[in-house]
């Protein structure tokens, strides 16, 4: 089980996923970034995507 957390002021974005769900995580990050009503940017999505890739490499 992997967990990614992003804290932006009072907001917290927490993502729990396993290695088999990485593509679903990527889809959700893109969905959040595209939603203008959320305080979640494309930069946030890119950063968390990179962290997820790094975590995946450590598991190999």
């Amino acid at each position: 089980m992997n967990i990614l957390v992003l804290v932006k002021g009072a907001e917290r974005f927490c993502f729990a996923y396993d290695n088999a769900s990485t593509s679903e995580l990527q889809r959700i990050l893109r969905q959040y970034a595209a939603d203008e009503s959320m305080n979640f940017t494309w930069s946030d999505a890119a950063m968390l995507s990179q962290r997820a890739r790094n975590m995946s490499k450590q598991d190999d």
Side-chain angles (χ1 to χ4, degrees), residues 7-60:
V7 177
K8 291 184 79 172
E11 294 180 295
R12 282 150 181 60
F13 298 92
C14 301
F15 304 92
Y17 65 98
D18 60 20
N19 289 341
S21 303
T22 302
S23 61
E24 179 67 9
L25 170 69
Q26 301 295 332
R27 186 191 68 74
I28 291 169
L29 294 174
R30 289 190 303 270
Q31 179 183 344
Y32 280 22
D35 186 342
E36 293 181 9
S37 70
M38 295 183 72
N39 185 24
F40 191 90
T41 66
W42 287 104
S43 178
D44 297 332
M47 176 191 55
L48 291 176
S49 292
Q50 182 62 45
R51 286 187 189 169
R53 282 191 295 277
N54 290 344
M55 290 170 69
S56 177
K57 287 178 187 176
Q58 289 176 356
D59 290 343
D60 290 343

